Amino acid sequence: MTLTADDSTIHGDPPLTFLWLEITGRCQLECTHCYAGSSPAGDHGTMTTPDWLSVLDQAADLGVSMVQFIGGEPTLHPSLPELVRHALSHGLRVEVFSNLVHVTDELWDVFALPGVSLATSYYSDDPAEHAAITGRPSHARTRANIAKAQAKGIPLRAGVIDLADDQRADQAHDELVNLGVPEVGRDRLREVGRGGDGAPGTVDQLCGRCGQGTAAVSPEGSVWPCVFSRWLPVGDVRDDTLVNILEGATMRETAGALAAHFATRETMGPCDPKCGPNCGPACLPQCWPTGSGPCGPKGGCQPNYG
């Protein structure tokens, strides 16, 4: 895949339209399967608020149509309201992927702004089982805030991750439907981060479309083809611009190597592994219904989070 730049716009195949912004590694929870290894001991990294504002400026110039704020838990970053409003000022659509454990009144006001939507993960209708997965007694708070988002009319989608054969995943799915969540996805465990017992990730955990219309930025400024391919950095936004990174030699070499691998891999359908909730978002172009775009209200992919 070759990327070229013209008038500050990436013309790839497809062009960059969706950007994950992993603004923090801090989280109230410590999910057993977390792809990012986030926890209460995590931090916001070395990216400053001006750094993130600059990334948003560049994203808008590149033609990105949607950004997703993730973590860790993005609601723990003190600049999230400012970052969301800045993205909206550029005409970008925004999704915040949150565990919905704690949402302040200020954040509810931000989430209610036009152009903003929420996404979350859910594991069980049984509070004890849910807590065993998240590492904290979080079920009641998440459930209550899902209901609150619904009552406020804030667009919300959710996903259930199948982590064990005896998990009450079906019941969790039904509970979300009964709460009125219009879009509920399912996914399997991705063996990345804690989900892979800390072992380095492998391309077998990727869907096959990394970097094709998508990119991710870490709390340290690293750019990845997607949040699951975090062992494949292609540049650093603190040292270079997004356009230079995405058209650079490292990106071309990485994209070429991934494409060569995926060309020989047998698949079981259009999304393999299926994109869905798991501890990090996975909104991938091959899963988008026509016209819905990545992670859109009618999108076929569910973000993953822990």
Side-chain angles (χ1 to χ4, degrees):
M1 177 176 66
T2 300
L3 297 174
T4 60
D6 179 31
D7 297 329
S8 298
T9 300
I10 289 293
H11 297 287
D13 184 20
L16 183 69
T17 58
F18 178 76
L19 194 63
W20 289 283
L21 302 180
E22 189 175 306
I23 60 176
T24 183
R26 183 177 300 166
C27 184
Q28 308 100 321
L29 310 181
E30 198 164 1
C31 295
T32 58
H33 57 287
C34 183
Y35 83 100
S38 57
S39 73
D43 58 39
H44 300 319
T46 55
M47 286 283 285
T48 65
T49 297
D51 289 335
W52 287 117
L53 293 173
S54 176
V55 168
L56 288 167
D57 292 339
Q58 295 176 63
D61 288 342
L62 290 172
V64 169
S65 58
M66 185 171 189
V67 294
Q68 186 184 72
F69 292 102
I70 59 170
E73 171 51 37
T75 62
L76 295 180
H77 196 291
S79 296
L80 179 61
E82 179 182 2
L83 297 177
V84 170
R85 288 190 169 94
H86 193 72
L88 294 174
S89 75
H90 281 299
L92 300 173
R93 289 181 297 130
V94 172
E95 184 171 73
V96 178
F97 205 103
S98 170
N99 57 36
L100 295 180
V101 168
H102 178 68
V103 182
T104 64
D105 289 341
E106 179 187 16
L107 284 173
W108 280 123
D109 290 341
V110 170
F111 296 161
L113 293 172
V116 180
S117 61
L118 293 174
T120 194
S121 289
Y122 211 64
Y123 306 101
S124 175
D125 67 329
D126 176 20
E129 183 176 56
H130 199 278
I133 293 170
T134 65
R136 301 290 187 278
S138 57
H139 177 269
R141 290 185 177 184
T142 297
R143 188 184 189 283
N145 282 325
I146 288 173
K148 189 169 184 177
Q150 294 294 103
K152 288 178 173 289
I154 298 171
L156 169 71
R157 60 199 184 99
V160 177
I161 306 165
D162 293 318
L163 301 174
D165 291 339
D166 59 350
Q167 180 184 340
R168 292 179 59 85
D170 290 338
Q171 291 85 349
H173 176 278
D174 292 343
E175 185 169 47
L176 290 168
V177 171
N178 290 335
L179 285 169
V181 179
E183 186 178 340
V184 182
R186 295 283 288 267
D187 194 22
R188 62 165 178 79
L189 171 69
R190 303 293 184 93
E191 295 178 6
V192 178
R194 279 201 294 269
D197 295 324
T202 69
V203 292
D204 293 331
Q205 298 304 311
L206 305 178
C207 81
R209 295 296 295 267
C210 299
Q212 297 190 30
T214 66
V217 182
S218 82
E220 309 299 333
S222 292
V223 178
W224 307 308
C226 83
V227 289
F228 285 122
S229 60
R230 53 204 306 113
W231 71 95
L232 297 173
V234 297
D236 190 319
V237 293
R238 297 169 302 169
D239 301 326
D240 208 345
T241 63
L242 269 177
V243 64
N244 286 342
I245 292 169
L246 295 174
E247 70 168 355
T250 302
M251 179 63 173
R252 292 197 303 271
E253 292 167 3
T254 300
L258 288 171
H261 174 83
F262 295 137
T264 62
R265 187 174 74 181
E266 293 184 4
T267 62
M268 297 177 65
C271 300
D272 180 42
K274 290 185 178 180
C275 40
N278 164 287
C279 200
C283 301
L284 302 160
Q286 72 209 65
C287 308
W288 306 342
T290 302
S292 66
C295 300
K298 297 182 180 179
C301 308
Q302 297 294 321
N304 306 330
Y305 191 80

Short mmCIF file of all heavy atoms in Angstrom, two decimals, residues 89-133:
data_model
loop_
_atom_site.label_atom_id
_atom_site.label_comp_id
_atom_site.label_asym_id
_atom_site.label_seq_id
_atom_site.Cartn_x
_atom_site.Cartn_y
_atom_site.Cartn_z
N SER A 89 -15.34 21.26 16.91
CA SER A 89 -15.16 22.55 16.22
C SER A 89 -14.61 22.38 14.82
O SER A 89 -14.76 23.26 13.96
CB SER A 89 -14.24 23.47 17.04
OG SER A 89 -12.88 23.06 16.95
N HIS A 90 -13.94 21.25 14.57
CA HIS A 90 -13.42 20.92 13.25
C HIS A 90 -14.43 20.14 12.41
O HIS A 90 -14.11 19.73 11.29
CB HIS A 90 -12.15 20.10 13.38
CG HIS A 90 -10.92 20.90 13.68
ND1 HIS A 90 -10.43 21.89 12.84
CD2 HIS A 90 -10.06 20.86 14.74
CE1 HIS A 90 -9.33 22.41 13.36
NE2 HIS A 90 -9.08 21.82 14.51
N GLY A 91 -15.61 19.90 12.96
CA GLY A 91 -16.59 19.12 12.22
C GLY A 91 -16.37 17.63 12.31
O GLY A 91 -17.01 16.87 11.55
N LEU A 92 -15.51 17.19 13.22
CA LEU A 92 -15.28 15.75 13.39
C LEU A 92 -16.37 15.14 14.25
O LEU A 92 -16.85 15.76 15.21
CB LEU A 92 -13.93 15.51 14.08
CG LEU A 92 -12.68 16.04 13.36
CD1 LEU A 92 -11.46 15.88 14.25
CD2 LEU A 92 -12.48 15.32 12.04
N ARG A 93 -16.79 13.93 13.91
CA ARG A 93 -17.64 13.17 14.80
C ARG A 93 -16.77 12.55 15.89
O ARG A 93 -15.61 12.22 15.66
CB ARG A 93 -18.40 12.09 14.04
CG ARG A 93 -19.50 12.65 13.14
CD ARG A 93 -20.24 11.54 12.43
NE ARG A 93 -19.38 10.79 11.54
CZ ARG A 93 -19.27 9.47 11.52
NH1 ARG A 93 -19.97 8.72 12.35
NH2 ARG A 93 -18.46 8.87 10.67
N VAL A 94 -17.34 12.40 17.08
CA VAL A 94 -16.58 11.94 18.24
C VAL A 94 -17.29 10.76 18.88
O VAL A 94 -18.51 10.79 19.09
CB VAL A 94 -16.41 13.07 19.27
CG1 VAL A 94 -15.80 12.53 20.57
CG2 VAL A 94 -15.56 14.20 18.70
N GLU A 95 -16.52 9.73 19.21
CA GLU A 95 -17.02 8.66 20.07
C GLU A 95 -16.08 8.54 21.26
O GLU A 95 -14.86 8.57 21.09
CB GLU A 95 -17.10 7.33 19.33
CG GLU A 95 -17.73 6.23 20.18
CD GLU A 95 -18.02 4.97 19.38
OE1 GLU A 95 -17.06 4.27 19.03
OE2 GLU A 95 -19.20 4.71 19.10
N VAL A 96 -16.66 8.44 22.43
CA VAL A 96 -15.87 8.23 23.65
C VAL A 96 -16.12 6.82 24.12
O VAL A 96 -17.27 6.44 24.38
CB VAL A 96 -16.27 9.24 24.75
CG1 VAL A 96 -15.47 8.97 26.03
CG2 VAL A 96 -16.04 10.68 24.27
N PHE A 97 -15.04 6.04 24.19
CA PHE A 97 -15.19 4.66 24.65
C PHE A 97 -14.84 4.61 26.12
O PHE A 97 -13.70 4.78 26.51
CB PHE A 97 -14.29 3.71 23.85
CG PHE A 97 -14.85 2.32 23.86
CD1 PHE A 97 -15.51 1.83 22.76
CD2 PHE A 97 -14.75 1.54 24.98
CE1 PHE A 97 -16.06 0.56 22.78
CE2 PHE A 97 -15.30 0.28 25.02
CZ PHE A 97 -15.96 -0.22 23.91
N SER A 98 -15.85 4.38 26.95
CA SER A 98 -15.72 4.50 28.40
C SER A 98 -16.26 3.27 29.10
O SER A 98 -17.19 2.61 28.60
CB SER A 98 -16.52 5.73 28.87
OG SER A 98 -16.62 5.78 30.28
N ASN A 99 -15.71 2.98 30.28
CA ASN A 99 -16.29 1.91 31.09
C ASN A 99 -17.55 2.39 31.82
O ASN A 99 -18.25 1.59 32.43
CB ASN A 99 -15.26 1.36 32.09
CG ASN A 99 -14.67 2.42 33.01
OD1 ASN A 99 -15.35 3.37 33.42
ND2 ASN A 99 -13.38 2.28 33.33
N LEU A 100 -17.80 3.72 31.77
CA LEU A 100 -18.99 4.32 32.39
C LEU A 100 -19.10 4.03 33.88
O LEU A 100 -20.19 3.99 34.44
CB LEU A 100 -20.27 3.86 31.67
CG LEU A 100 -20.40 4.31 30.21
CD1 LEU A 100 -21.71 3.81 29.62
CD2 LEU A 100 -20.33 5.83 30.09
N VAL A 101 -17.95 3.87 34.53
CA VAL A 101 -17.96 3.66 35.97
C VAL A 101 -18.28 4.96 36.71
O VAL A 101 -19.03 4.97 37.69
CB VAL A 101 -16.61 3.08 36.44
CG1 VAL A 101 -16.49 3.13 37.96
CG2 VAL A 101 -16.45 1.64 35.95
N HIS A 102 -17.71 6.07 36.22
CA HIS A 102 -17.97 7.37 36.88
C HIS A 102 -17.99 8.45 35.80
O HIS A 102 -17.02 8.63 35.08
CB HIS A 102 -16.89 7.69 37.90
CG HIS A 102 -17.09 9.02 38.56
ND1 HIS A 102 -18.14 9.29 39.42
CD2 HIS A 102 -16.38 10.17 38.47
CE1 HIS A 102 -18.06 10.54 39.85
NE2 HIS A 102 -17.00 11.10 39.28
N VAL A 103 -19.12 9.15 35.71
CA VAL A 103 -19.27 10.23 34.74
C VAL A 103 -19.72 11.48 35.49
O VAL A 103 -20.76 11.48 36.15
CB VAL A 103 -20.30 9.87 33.65
CG1 VAL A 103 -20.40 11.01 32.62
CG2 VAL A 103 -19.93 8.56 32.95
N THR A 104 -18.93 12.54 35.39
CA THR A 104 -19.26 13.78 36.08
C THR A 104 -20.37 14.52 35.34
O THR A 104 -20.68 14.25 34.17
CB THR A 104 -18.04 14.70 36.16
OG1 THR A 104 -17.65 15.09 34.83
CG2 THR A 104 -16.87 13.99 36.85
N ASP A 105 -20.97 15.50 36.02
CA ASP A 105 -22.00 16.31 35.38
C ASP A 105 -21.44 17.05 34.17
O ASP A 105 -22.12 17.18 33.14
CB ASP A 105 -22.58 17.32 36.38
CG ASP A 105 -23.43 16.67 37.45
OD1 ASP A 105 -23.88 15.51 37.25
OD2 ASP A 105 -23.65 17.30 38.51
N GLU A 106 -20.20 17.53 34.27
CA GLU A 106 -19.58 18.22 33.13
C GLU A 106 -19.46 17.29 31.94
O GLU A 106 -19.75 17.68 30.80
CB GLU A 106 -18.20 18.74 33.51
CG GLU A 106 -17.49 19.46 32.36
CD GLU A 106 -16.05 19.83 32.65
OE1 GLU A 106 -15.48 19.29 33.62
OE2 GLU A 106 -15.49 20.66 31.91
N LEU A 107 -19.07 16.04 32.19
CA LEU A 107 -18.92 15.10 31.09
C LEU A 107 -20.27 14.72 30.49
O LEU A 107 -20.38 14.55 29.27
CB LEU A 107 -18.16 13.86 31.55
CG LEU A 107 -16.66 14.04 31.72
CD1 LEU A 107 -16.02 12.80 32.34
CD2 LEU A 107 -16.00 14.34 30.37
N TRP A 108 -21.31 14.60 31.31
CA TRP A 108 -22.64 14.33 30.75
C TRP A 108 -23.04 15.44 29.79
O TRP A 108 -23.62 15.18 28.71
CB TRP A 108 -23.68 14.17 31.85
CG TRP A 108 -23.70 12.82 32.52
CD1 TRP A 108 -23.56 12.58 33.86
CD2 TRP A 108 -23.90 11.55 31.90
NE1 TRP A 108 -23.64 11.24 34.11
CE2 TRP A 108 -23.85 10.58 32.93
CE3 TRP A 108 -24.10 11.13 30.58
CZ2 TRP A 108 -24.01 9.22 32.67
CZ3 TRP A 108 -24.25 9.78 30.32
CH2 TRP A 108 -24.20 8.83 31.36
N ASP A 109 -22.72 16.70 30.15
CA ASP A 109 -23.03 17.82 29.27
C ASP A 109 -22.26 17.70 27.96
O ASP A 109 -22.80 17.99 26.88
CB ASP A 109 -22.69 19.14 29.95
CG ASP A 109 -23.63 19.49 31.10
OD1 ASP A 109 -24.74 18.91 31.16
OD2 ASP A 109 -23.25 20.32 31.94
N VAL A 110 -21.01 17.28 28.04
CA VAL A 110 -20.18 17.11 26.83
C VAL A 110 -20.71 15.97 25.97
O VAL A 110 -20.82 16.08 24.75
CB VAL A 110 -18.71 16.86 27.22
CG1 VAL A 110 -17.88 16.44 26.01
CG2 VAL A 110 -18.11 18.11 27.85
N PHE A 111 -21.07 14.87 26.62
CA PHE A 111 -21.56 13.70 25.87
C PHE A 111 -22.88 13.99 25.17
O PHE A 111 -23.22 13.33 24.19
CB PHE A 111 -21.71 12.50 26.80
CG PHE A 111 -20.43 12.01 27.40
CD1 PHE A 111 -20.44 11.20 28.54
CD2 PHE A 111 -19.20 12.35 26.86
CE1 PHE A 111 -19.25 10.74 29.09
CE2 PHE A 111 -18.01 11.90 27.41
CZ PHE A 111 -18.04 11.10 28.53
N ALA A 112 -23.62 14.96 25.69
CA ALA A 112 -24.92 15.29 25.10
C ALA A 112 -24.80 16.24 23.91
O ALA A 112 -25.80 16.53 23.25
CB ALA A 112 -25.83 15.91 26.16
N LEU A 113 -23.58 16.71 23.60
CA LEU A 113 -23.40 17.63 22.47
C LEU A 113 -23.66 16.90 21.16
O LEU A 113 -23.34 15.72 21.01
CB LEU A 113 -21.97 18.18 22.48
CG LEU A 113 -21.60 19.12 23.63
CD1 LEU A 113 -20.11 19.42 23.60
CD2 LEU A 113 -22.41 20.40 23.56
N PRO A 114 -24.23 17.58 20.18
CA PRO A 114 -24.44 16.98 18.86
C PRO A 114 -23.10 16.53 18.26
O PRO A 114 -22.11 17.25 18.34
CB PRO A 114 -25.05 18.12 18.04
CG PRO A 114 -25.65 19.04 19.05
CD PRO A 114 -24.77 18.96 20.25
N GLY A 115 -23.09 15.34 17.71
CA GLY A 115 -21.87 14.81 17.11
C GLY A 115 -21.08 13.90 18.02
O GLY A 115 -20.06 13.35 17.61
N VAL A 116 -21.54 13.72 19.27
CA VAL A 116 -20.84 12.87 20.23
C VAL A 116 -21.66 11.61 20.50
O VAL A 116 -22.88 11.67 20.62
CB VAL A 116 -20.60 13.62 21.57
CG1 VAL A 116 -19.86 12.71 22.56
CG2 VAL A 116 -19.79 14.89 21.32
N SER A 117 -20.98 10.49 20.58
CA SER A 117 -21.62 9.23 20.96
C SER A 117 -20.74 8.50 21.96
O SER A 117 -19.56 8.83 22.14
CB SER A 117 -21.88 8.35 19.73
OG SER A 117 -20.66 8.02 19.08
N LEU A 118 -21.32 7.50 22.61
CA LEU A 118 -20.62 6.71 23.60
C LEU A 118 -20.56 5.26 23.17
O LEU A 118 -21.41 4.78 22.42
CB LEU A 118 -21.33 6.79 24.96
CG LEU A 118 -21.34 8.13 25.69
CD1 LEU A 118 -22.21 8.03 26.94
CD2 LEU A 118 -19.93 8.55 26.06
N ALA A 119 -19.55 4.56 23.69
CA ALA A 119 -19.46 3.11 23.53
C ALA A 119 -18.93 2.54 24.83
O ALA A 119 -18.17 3.20 25.56
CB ALA A 119 -18.55 2.74 22.37
N THR A 120 -19.34 1.33 25.14
CA THR A 120 -18.88 0.68 26.37
C THR A 120 -18.86 -0.82 26.19
O THR A 120 -19.37 -1.35 25.21
CB THR A 120 -19.80 1.06 27.55
OG1 THR A 120 -19.16 0.70 28.79
CG2 THR A 120 -21.16 0.38 27.46
N SER A 121 -18.22 -1.49 27.14
CA SER A 121 -18.19 -2.96 27.15
C SER A 121 -18.93 -3.48 28.38
O SER A 121 -19.04 -2.80 29.40
CB SER A 121 -16.74 -3.47 27.18
OG SER A 121 -16.09 -3.24 25.96
N TYR A 122 -19.40 -4.71 28.25
CA TYR A 122 -20.22 -5.33 29.30
C TYR A 122 -19.88 -6.81 29.30
O TYR A 122 -19.61 -7.39 28.24
CB TYR A 122 -21.70 -5.12 28.95
CG TYR A 122 -22.64 -5.00 30.11
CD1 TYR A 122 -22.55 -3.96 31.01
CD2 TYR A 122 -23.66 -5.93 30.28
CE1 TYR A 122 -23.45 -3.82 32.05
CE2 TYR A 122 -24.57 -5.81 31.32
CZ TYR A 122 -24.46 -4.75 32.21
OH TYR A 122 -25.36 -4.61 33.23
N TYR A 123 -19.92 -7.43 30.47
CA TYR A 123 -19.39 -8.78 30.55
C TYR A 123 -20.36 -9.81 31.11
O TYR A 123 -20.27 -10.99 30.79
CB TYR A 123 -18.11 -8.78 31.39
CG TYR A 123 -17.11 -7.79 30.86
CD1 TYR A 123 -16.93 -6.56 31.47
CD2 TYR A 123 -16.37 -8.08 29.72
CE1 TYR A 123 -16.04 -5.63 30.96
CE2 TYR A 123 -15.47 -7.16 29.20
CZ TYR A 123 -15.31 -5.94 29.83
OH TYR A 123 -14.44 -5.02 29.29
N SER A 124 -21.27 -9.38 31.98
CA SER A 124 -22.16 -10.34 32.63
C SER A 124 -23.31 -9.59 33.29
O SER A 124 -23.16 -8.42 33.66
CB SER A 124 -21.40 -11.15 33.68
OG SER A 124 -22.27 -12.02 34.39
N ASP A 125 -24.43 -10.27 33.44
CA ASP A 125 -25.52 -9.69 34.23
C ASP A 125 -25.33 -9.99 35.71
O ASP A 125 -26.08 -9.49 36.56
CB ASP A 125 -26.87 -10.22 33.76
CG ASP A 125 -27.03 -11.72 34.05
OD1 ASP A 125 -26.01 -12.45 34.05
OD2 ASP A 125 -28.18 -12.16 34.26
N ASP A 126 -24.35 -10.80 36.04
CA ASP A 126 -24.05 -11.17 37.42
C ASP A 126 -22.97 -10.23 37.95
O ASP A 126 -21.84 -10.26 37.45
CB ASP A 126 -23.57 -12.61 37.49
CG ASP A 126 -23.15 -13.03 38.88
OD1 ASP A 126 -23.55 -12.37 39.86
OD2 ASP A 126 -22.39 -14.02 39.01
N PRO A 127 -23.26 -9.38 38.94
CA PRO A 127 -22.28 -8.43 39.44
C PRO A 127 -20.96 -9.08 39.88
O PRO A 127 -19.89 -8.51 39.65
CB PRO A 127 -22.99 -7.77 40.63
CG PRO A 127 -24.44 -7.88 40.29
CD PRO A 127 -24.58 -9.22 39.60
N ALA A 128 -21.03 -10.26 40.49
CA ALA A 128 -19.80 -10.91 40.96
C ALA A 128 -18.93 -11.35 39.78
O ALA A 128 -17.70 -11.19 39.80
CB ALA A 128 -20.15 -12.11 41.84
N GLU A 129 -19.56 -11.91 38.76
CA GLU A 129 -18.80 -12.34 37.59
C GLU A 129 -18.23 -11.13 36.85
O GLU A 129 -17.08 -11.15 36.40
CB GLU A 129 -19.67 -13.16 36.65
CG GLU A 129 -18.92 -13.69 35.44
CD GLU A 129 -19.78 -14.57 34.56
OE1 GLU A 129 -20.86 -14.10 34.11
OE2 GLU A 129 -19.40 -15.73 34.32
N HIS A 130 -19.03 -10.08 36.73
CA HIS A 130 -18.57 -8.85 36.10
C HIS A 130 -17.35 -8.30 36.83
O HIS A 130 -16.35 -7.89 36.21
CB HIS A 130 -19.71 -7.83 36.10
CG HIS A 130 -19.57 -6.72 35.13
ND1 HIS A 130 -18.80 -5.61 35.38
CD2 HIS A 130 -20.11 -6.53 33.90
CE1 HIS A 130 -18.88 -4.78 34.35
NE2 HIS A 130 -19.66 -5.31 33.44
N ALA A 131 -17.41 -8.29 38.18
CA ALA A 131 -16.30 -7.78 38.99
C ALA A 131 -15.06 -8.64 38.86
O ALA A 131 -13.93 -8.13 38.87
CB ALA A 131 -16.72 -7.68 40.45
N ALA A 132 -15.24 -9.95 38.72
CA ALA A 132 -14.09 -10.85 38.56
C ALA A 132 -13.34 -10.54 37.27
O ALA A 132 -12.12 -10.71 37.20
CB ALA A 132 -14.56 -12.29 38.57
N ILE A 133 -14.06 -10.06 36.25
CA ILE A 133 -13.43 -9.74 34.97
C ILE A 133 -12.80 -8.36 35.00
O ILE A 133 -11.68 -8.16 34.52
CB ILE A 133 -14.47 -9.83 33.84
CG1 ILE A 133 -14.90 -11.28 33.65
CG2 ILE A 133 -13.92 -9.27 32.52
CD1 ILE A 133 -16.09 -11.47 32.73
#
